[in-house]
Amino acid sequence: MSEKVVLAYSGGLDTSVAIRWLNEKYGYDVVAVTIDVGSEKDSSAVKEKALQVGAVKAIVVDAKKAFVDDYIFAALKAGAIYENTYPMATALARPLIAKILTDVALEEGAVAIAHGCTGKGNDQVRFEVAINALAPNMKILAPAREWGMTREETIQYAERYGIPVPVKSGHAYSVDENIWGRSVECGILEDPWAEPPAEVYIWAKSPTDAPDMPAYCEITFEKGVPIALDGKAMDGLELINTLHEIAGTHGVGRIDHVENRLVGIKSREIYEAPAALTLLAAHQALEDLTLAKDQARFKLKVTQEFSDIIYNGLWFTANRVDLSAYVDSTQRLVSGTVRIKFSKGNCIVVGRRSPHSLYAHNLATYEKGDQFDQSSAAGFIYIFGLPVKTQAQLQPIFDNTSEKKDEGSGK
Ligand code: ARG
């Protein structure tokens, strides 16, 4: 009996060729595992194709709920966004996929796990580092990195073995898609000066085509997790999909980013993430209301670190676990409702309220009922400004401080 390899199978050309190649080159029996994290592909057709192409077994795992609850919402609570721009749909799904691959590999007694990533991207790193953490002794194979075939040669290989080649659509984009967003690269997008053609975007309308009439929606959070839309309780998946629809219709969610890859190259990628951008903005607004200034300032540093951890494939590390514990603690009172206005490509927070709000009207108001003791401000400023005043007197650096000093000493 041949040894088994578990392959992350998407149904695309590379992973289909990989099934054949792993068998031909190393004599492995391939168990194809397709993990559904919310792409629009038909998983039963993907499973059929795996078997047809030569897998000894094909498994489809619906991981949508785990993806939302354990990864997407963990990232949302942390405010995670890479280089302040990319909500990391692709990056976030990788550790979950790696976990499922590892579980299946151990169950099946497989000797290795294989993935279809090339040697230039972040995803190979994310898969392999996650597998290293979950099954440190597991062998990992990356056929597409090893076989050294060009795209044309891969197609010829596929044709030789009767592997169906997806009809060429004319534009050669590479697309990764899941619940949290779409990632699109290659083709004309490799020119960072070229405006993305309209066909690149599927989820978010062009702001110019968005309805003139704005739409409003209220998002309710419980401990940092969104639980209702317009007062209607929803599970995470339904809530995200509903937001994709509303925000996308109003032209919210298009992202055009030249990012710094972990493997040292800058790359240009187009993202669509209508729900992610909306939820990140709403969540931030609720934190603005419920976290104290020092909490918010410190959390920002954790946000930055957490974002890099996700992007760099370090989900399954002690450092990430520790930071998640910190993030969860910050979310204790991040409950309440945020009101959003969608209009012509904009997603604007226009209202927020929380039973744990730190906003005190009697302190903030300029109207009747003001309880802020303005006379205390003078003493506060005296002490707060004291080191500035002292330094200006003793070490003048601004024109007028030195002039004053010269005038004074000249007399
Ligand atoms: N650059 C993104 C990341 O590293 C997305 C990668 C996948 N993109 C794609 N078009 N297949 O997370």
Side-chain angles (χ1 to χ4, degrees), residues 162-386:
I163 298 167
V165 177
V167 265
K168 275 203 210 153
S169 51
H171 17 77
Y173 300 118
S174 156
V175 180
D176 180 61
E177 183 180 295
N178 66 43
I179 299 163
W180 203 224
R182 290 179 76 234
S183 308
V184 189
E185 62 180 3
C186 298
I188 181 72
L189 302 175
E190 286 180 356
D191 175 359
W193 179 251
E195 180 175 352
E199 81 234 6
V200 166
Y201 298 107
I202 292 184
W203 291 1
K205 268 199 188 155
S206 162
T208 22
D209 300 337
D212 291 328
M213 185 82 135
Y216 288 84
C217 109
E218 292 183 9
I219 307 173
T220 301
F221 290 83
E222 175 77 40
K223 296 189 191 326
V225 172
I227 54 159
L229 268 194
D230 292 326
K232 182 175 173 247
M234 281 184 195
D235 70 35
L237 187 58
E238 186 188 1
L239 188 141
I240 291 170
N241 283 331
T242 312
L243 276 179
H244 278 317
E245 195 56 44
I246 310 174
T249 300
H250 285 270
V252 170
R254 297 180 167 198
I255 299 164
D256 183 338
H257 191 202
V258 172
E259 74 198 41
N260 291 295
R261 276 195 197 162
L262 179 57
V263 295
I265 20 186
K266 285 192 190 287
S267 68
R268 196 275 192 101
E269 188 120 24
I270 298 301
Y271 298 105
E272 283 189 282
L277 292 186
T278 305
L279 285 169
L280 283 162
H283 179 261
Q284 178 65 52
L286 196 56
E287 285 196 343
D288 292 345
L289 192 66
T290 54
L291 294 187
K293 179 178 172 180
D294 52 357
Q295 290 177 290
R297 291 295 191 278
F298 190 82
K299 186 167 181 269
L300 210 52
K301 303 183 200 195
V302 174
T303 294
Q304 166 95 48
E305 179 69 19
F306 208 91
S307 305
D308 284 345
I309 285 173
I310 295 169
Y311 190 85
N312 293 342
L314 298 171
W315 184 266
F316 293 114
T317 56
N319 191 29
R320 200 280 303 164
V321 171
D322 293 344
L323 292 180
S324 278
Y326 165 79
V327 167
D328 283 344
S329 176
T330 63
Q331 302 299 294
R332 287 187 312 272
L333 302 175
V334 183
S335 302
T337 299
V338 178
R339 190 155 189 259
I340 301 276
K341 178 179 178 174
F342 299 105
S343 176
K344 292 278 182 199
N346 298 302
C347 154
I348 308 155
V349 173
V350 293
R352 66 289 275 159
R353 63 168 181 240
S354 164
H356 313 296
S357 170
L358 292 171
Y359 181 89
H361 188 265
N362 59 348
L363 294 177
T365 186
Y366 288 94
E367 321 259 313
K368 199 156 61 69
D370 180 11
Q371 285 175 14
F372 185 90
D373 176 7
Q374 298 200 24
S375 67
S376 306
F380 168 75
I381 296 164
Y382 172 75
I383 294 175
F384 180 73
L386 193 55

